Amino acid sequence: MFYEGKAKKLYSTADPDLVIAYFKDDATAFNGKKKDTIEDKGVMNNRMSELFFTLLEKNGVKTHFVRRLNDREMLCKRLQIIPVETVVRNIVAGSMAKRLGREEGEPLPHPIVEYYYKSDALDDPLIIGEHAIAFGWATAAELKQVDEMALKVNSILKRFLDERGVILVDFKLEFGRYQGEVILGDEICPDTCRFWDKATRQKLDKDRFRRDLGGVEEAYHEMLRRVEI
Ligand code: UDP
């Protein structure tokens, strides 16, 4: 093991270009201030990430996904992670609602891409692209690619989920460099996305944990059921 994050552990392999991501059941919120475990979350997030990465690859988005090895492990390309979290929003929620005093649920006229600097010490502050360029976290060309890829991921996932009765409210992506290219890394699951049921607007994501709404495991299972059909 060479890295342990909040939700995953990373292991090196005999091949220096490949790593194994191990998905844990640990759940954190508010930058680690709230902690618990969600039963089988690791299994569900590993499987859901596999489904989404496969869908994205089919649609021409390059990702770090190689293959799922077992319930909790995924073989991935080893990226040099760009220390910027990219958030795409279709509907106002979470920190955007709070920061700008808007009602959660307000639709945005078009998808908005935001960047956050990956820093636990600073609580992942919202930044503008110029900050990332000025401090050498990414080049202007890389950010342009990040932007284009993030919007493409949004269109693909939004459509796929809509067909399954799910509204894609917002989500977070992480990108990295691999053999001179920017590719999509990390995971795509209810920990990193907001999913609302189209009919009831019921939350099917980690907000159930963050906000103590109950039915956390059930929501993750329900999301997996929706995307597996
Ligand atoms: N998100 C994430 N990791 C983070 C912060 C946010 O995966 O460290 C995801 C979150 O699940 C949501 C989107 O990014 O789908 C936007 O989150 P927001 O900025 O509203 O922050 P929150 O209020 O959820 O912390």
Side-chain angles (χ1 to χ4, degrees), residues 30 85 87 89 93-96 99 114 116 124 170-172 190-194 206-207 210-211:
F30 314 117
E85 298 192 346
V87 168
R89 301 181 185 274
S95 72
M96 178 187 241
R99 184 180 309 111
E114 294 176 346
Y116 293 82
D124 296 352
D170 59 30
F171 57 94
K172 184 262 298 182
D191 279 8
T192 63
C193 305
R194 284 195 171 93
K206 197 174 156 188
D207 271 348
R210 293 189 190 100
R211 303 178 188 187

Side-chain angles (χ1 to χ4, degrees), residues 14-211:
D15 184 336
D17 286 335
L18 297 177
V19 299
I20 294 170
Y22 176 94
F23 288 72
K24 302 191 285 184
D25 285 350
D26 297 352
T28 62
F30 314 117
N31 194 23
K33 288 181 216 49
K34 181 181 167 91
K35 276 191 201 138
D36 209 338
T37 58
I38 298 172
E39 199 184 335
D40 284 342
K41 175 172 84 78
V43 178
M44 294 188 273
N45 287 357
N46 187 22
R47 174 75 181 128
M48 205 179 300
S49 294
E50 173 191 20
L51 282 161
F52 284 139
F53 283 139
T54 306
L55 172 75
L56 292 172
E57 289 278 356
K58 252 189 234 154
N59 285 276
V61 177
K62 290 196 175 154
T63 78
H64 72 157
F65 175 74
V66 179
R67 66 175 192 278
R68 189 168 60 85
L69 297 173
N70 54 49
D71 265 7
R72 289 183 183 271
E73 291 178 317
M74 178 184 281
L75 188 64
C76 302
K77 293 167 186 156
R78 184 193 281 258
L79 306 188
Q80 189 199 356
I81 284 286
I82 295 171
V84 171
E85 298 192 346
T86 303
V87 168
V88 182
R89 301 181 185 274
N90 297 302
I91 294 178
V92 175
S95 72
M96 178 187 241
K98 204 170 164 195
R99 184 180 309 111
L100 303 178
R102 309 297 302 194
E103 198 67 39
E104 189 161 88
E106 177 181 347
L108 293 164
H110 55 80
I112 293 178
V113 179
E114 294 176 346
Y115 305 120
Y116 293 82
Y117 175 43
K118 251 174 98 74
S119 162
D120 283 342
L122 299 174
D123 269 354
D124 296 352
L126 177 67
I127 58 166
I128 59 167
E130 291 295 319
H131 294 149
I133 298 165
F135 301 121
W137 301 328
T139 66
E142 285 172 339
L143 275 192
K144 188 165 174 272
Q145 267 179 284
V146 162
D147 235 71
E148 285 168 7
M149 288 173 80
L151 289 170
K152 185 165 178 184
V153 169
N154 185 48
S155 325
I156 298 164
L157 295 187
K158 202 161 67 174
R159 179 161 172 203
F160 175 84
L161 289 164
D162 181 73
E163 288 163 358
R164 286 154 183 83
V166 175
I167 303 171
L168 179 61
V169 174
D170 59 30
F171 57 94
K172 184 262 298 182
L173 300 174
E174 295 190 29
F175 294 88
R177 306 176 187 97
Y178 182 79
Q179 298 177 351
E181 267 188 309
V182 172
I183 71 173
L184 180 61
D186 198 42
E187 59 184 316
I188 306 178
C189 61
D191 279 8
T192 63
C193 305
R194 284 195 171 93
F195 300 126
W196 292 354
D197 180 80
K198 210 160 116 180
T200 65
R201 294 180 82 86
Q202 191 193 357
K203 297 185 200 311
L204 297 170
D205 56 59
K206 197 174 156 188
D207 271 348
R208 302 207 73 84
F209 167 75
R210 293 189 190 100
R211 303 178 188 187

